């Protein structure tokens, strides 16, 4: 008898009808001879509705109380899911993050899991219950307060719980049937990926692929917990995220796929003094505002005037804060202008096979050139190449790279509507 | 510095605007130099909406999961109330029933409080927080599961917590400004009651007055916790429920008021054998169906035929079950017919002064006779007289009794719209 942890996102349980369908799927897994532990997100737009309510009360809600408020969303979904399973003649029990032993830091709204002590869940499994655990939520180690885990929190709950229970697999149900070589809405013949390593999946997630959240994949990699990403609307096998890159043979190492990202902006500072400490001063200002920057380019100082331009990309949502902070420091740092540009896109090629195949960068750049896409920033890692271009050219760039590496299949990919959480 | 426990019902916090007004009232109490602990019900119709959701999933929801579900209602209201207080510049913290140490039986949906161990609440008070506790909800002693307390549960939470914290007073905020000598919608000059004993309030609640729930008053009587019943829409002093009947002097003991009840029905069994065990068999059938009966009348057997009629009143909601169960037992018990009558009303006169004033029953019956109201069943206790009449005559009966005992004031009572929970 295997132990399967299943995670269902908000769109999979957005109304009573869908909750019943998820219940049937859970019962089917059980009937197939498995122990089942389920992690569930809040129903549909519940979380947004709760945030709207908080906004009606105060523009800056207390973080502790906001966690108390929004955690009620997953409480509702897990209770009704347990009822629906019960109604099918199987015994189900729901548990809060606290009851399930999900111990976190006390950073309200963005808590990290410190430990999972699933004693009650273990007992419930042994007593034959299908157990349901509230996603996205835990209890702080120091203050014993309710915390939430931030974006992608339910995925992280599922993976952490699966690791603590030594489950055989953690199934992540979403509205697509796995990871594709590119977004099928942009590349119609994008191919379904059957197997991919943790590291490649991490790079995909970091480069804008929306299937899995970075933190949950990091957790899976740390505990070597295989993730099966699959659709809650079909029984098709999804994508298996498992294994480490270092264990791949040269033959297994491939180019996995193309990711893209429209969520970033670019800031360019002109005529920065080309002397030690100038770049450090700039990035200290960004760090002081708790902004994560992604790619950085510093041009060589031209024609001996002792000045250079520095460009970097950052999340659009932080654009205003960064621009304002930099303008304030203009005279102190000694640059000329802050240029803010929201109209950029980023295309990335990811694959463990890159390490052993020279010439990938050349092929990548040639494909973009032939498609007429101008490269503004380029950065590489061991298994990734990323390029910033105009946002209007992003779709063309994705298709050009996908074609150049012959990633496409013979069939058109099936895309489902809806969004996960 | 006094410690005040305040309880706000669902209509007092039904939207963001009202939540903010409640927050202002709490802050005002704090500014007046008091420590404040607040117990809050779910916002407006939240509980009904959650029950509707459960009904969409299954006709018979698992009781444990139903408690998990509906307890999210109070969780939402307490979190937003804490935010609203925080927004006024005061520090507030919300706590679940479990965090507040509300230990209950495991009877889901109708749990009783076994103990309150408010260590965290005490600490929060000492640290200067306005603390908010989730009403209606606790944690079961045996199974550590989430439980709810049933109707009037938030009142009970407030009183039990006030007792455990040895608070100076427990204020129950509702949509009327206290207890009246009769329902002002029926008796326009009904007088506001300033002081009333626990026992009289219990009799009022048991006889249909909807201000306070029976269980919370029982709790207050047991722990001698004064209750101040007041309106959340005005600053008027409400009704103080405090003190025991036995401590009243003859001068203090008065007729308190007239209560009425439209929620009961009457069952009459005709031609019951007038022999030992017949009544016992009948009431055993009722008890086996867990139905509480209220008043009972058995006529003297007439004209030597060895048979009698038995009538009793019971909640309308149990009418169908009782009738069906009795019909099934007809031959075994040996009566002739079951007559079910929903068109009854009950009027009750309550007052500690009844004990020391002979003739109250006579005055009561004469008032009804003069108003043309026919008495169908009559029952009395030490401090109460109750009579069942036609429901169409109930308003007339209430006014007649209220007048006969000169309970009215000079002014018209002010009645607010809305309902409490």
């Amino acid at each position: 008898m295997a132990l399967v942890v299943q995670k269902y996102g908000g769109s999979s349980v957005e109304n009573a009808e869908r909750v019943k369908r998820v219940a049937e799927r859970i019962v089917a897994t059980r009937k197939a001879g498995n122990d089942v532990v389920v992690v569930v997100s809040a129903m549909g737009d519940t979380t947004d509705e709760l945030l709207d309510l908080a906004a009606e009360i105060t523009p800056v809600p207390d973080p502790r109380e906001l966690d108390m408020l929004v955690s009620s969303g997953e409480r509702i979904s897990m209770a009704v899911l347990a009822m629906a399973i019960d109604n099918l003649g199987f015994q189900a029990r729901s548990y809060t993050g606290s009851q399930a032993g999900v111990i976190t830091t006390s950073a309200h709204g963005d808590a990290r899991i410190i430990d999972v002590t699933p004693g009650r869940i273990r007992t419930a499994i042994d007593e034959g219950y299908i157990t349901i655990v509230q996603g996205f939520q835990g209890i702080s180690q120091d203050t014993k307060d309710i915390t939430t885990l931030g974006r992608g929190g339910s995925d992280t709950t599922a993976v952490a719980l699966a690791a603590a229970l030594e489950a055989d697999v953690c199934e992540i149900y979403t509205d697509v049937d796995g990871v594709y070589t590119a977004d099928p809405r942009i590349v119609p013949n994008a191919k379904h990926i059957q197997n991919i390593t943790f590291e490649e999946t991490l790079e995909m997630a970091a480069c804008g692929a929306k299937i899995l959240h970075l933190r949950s994949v990091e957790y899976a990699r740390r505990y070597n917990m295989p993730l099966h990403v699959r659709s809650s609307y079909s029984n098709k096998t999804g994508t298996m995220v498992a294994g480490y890159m270092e264990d791949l043979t040269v033959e297994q190492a491939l180019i996995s796929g193309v990711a893209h990202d429209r969520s970033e902006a670019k800031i360019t500072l002109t005529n920065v003094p080309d002397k030690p400490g100038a770049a450090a001063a700039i990035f200290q200002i960004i760090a002081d505002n708790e902004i994560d920057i992604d790619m950085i380019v510093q041009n060589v100082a031209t024609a001996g005037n002792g000045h250079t331009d520095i460009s970097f990309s950052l999340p659009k949502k932080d654009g205003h804060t960064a621009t304002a902070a930099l303008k304030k420091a203009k005279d102190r740092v000694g640059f000329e202008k802050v240029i803010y540009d929201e109209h950029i896109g980023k295309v990335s090629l990811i694959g463990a096979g890159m390490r052993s195949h020279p010439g990938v960068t050349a092929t990548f750049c040639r494909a973009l050139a032939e498609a007429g896409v101008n490269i503004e920033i380029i950065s590489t890692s061991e298994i990734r190449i990323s390029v910033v271009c105009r946002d209007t050219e992003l779709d063309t760039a994705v298709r050009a790279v996908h074609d150049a590496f012959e990633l496409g299949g013979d069939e058109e990919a099936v895309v489902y509507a809806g969004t996960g959480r």
Side-chain angles (χ1 to χ4, degrees), chain A residues 7-10 13 38-48 50 66-82 94-97 132-138 146-155 157 421:
Chain A
K7 180 260 169 179
Y8 293 93
V13 291
V38 179
V39 173
V40 68
S41 298
M43 295 171 77
D45 300 326
T46 310
T47 306
D48 288 338
L50 292 169
L66 196 61
D67 275 359
M68 186 68 100
L69 177 67
V70 298
S71 64
S72 60
E74 281 76 17
R75 190 183 188 91
I76 293 170
S77 56
M78 72 165 175
V80 296
L81 183 55
S94 68
Y95 295 90
T96 66
I132 311 193
V133 175
Q134 185 169 3
F136 183 60
Q137 185 254 317
I146 308 299
T147 52
T148 66
L149 304 179
R151 284 191 68 78
S154 291
D155 286 3
T157 302
R421 161 168 162 190

Side-chain angles (χ1 to χ4, degrees), chain A residues 21 90 166 199 268 278 391:
Chain A
R21 271 210 270 162
F90 284 72
E166 300 180 350
E199 290 90 344
T268 302
D391 58 355

Side-chain angles (χ1 to χ4, degrees), chain A residues 186 262 343-347 368 371-376 387-400:
Chain A
I186 296 177
R262 293 180 208 276
H343 300 294
I344 64 165
K346 185 172 78 167
V347 55
L368 292 182
V373 174
N374 190 42
I375 296 173
E376 301 186 14
V387 149
V388 166
C389 62
R390 287 295 88 196
D391 58 355
T392 48
E393 295 175 342
L394 186 59
D395 288 3
T396 306
V398 170
R399 281 189 286 262

Side-chain angles (χ1 to χ4, degrees), chain A residues 205-269:
Chain A
C207 291
K210 300 214 167 51
I211 309 298
L212 287 167
H213 285 274
L214 207 55
R215 217 187 279 176
S216 61
V217 184
E218 281 169 354
Y219 223 103
R221 178 174 63 166
R222 195 186 323 155
Y223 291 97
N224 194 14
M225 173 52 58
L227 303 181
H228 186 181
V229 183
R230 53 193 306 195
S231 164
S232 52
Y233 305 114
S234 84
N235 285 314
K236 232 182 112 176
T237 302
T239 298
M240 190 61 79
V241 178
Y244 298 93
M245 221 175 59
E246 66 207 47
D247 300 328
L248 294 181
T249 64
V250 172
E251 288 71 32
Q252 289 173 308
L254 303 164
I255 300 296
S256 294
V258 181
H260 69 278
D261 193 348
R262 293 180 208 276
S263 70
E264 297 193 343
K266 183 175 76 167
I267 286 179
T268 302
L269 304 175

Side-chain angles (χ1 to χ4, degrees), chain A residues 32 59 112 172 198 211 216 336 384:
Chain A
R112 309 281 161 139
I172 306 284
F198 294 124
I211 309 298
S216 61
E336 190 186 343
R384 176 184 55 80

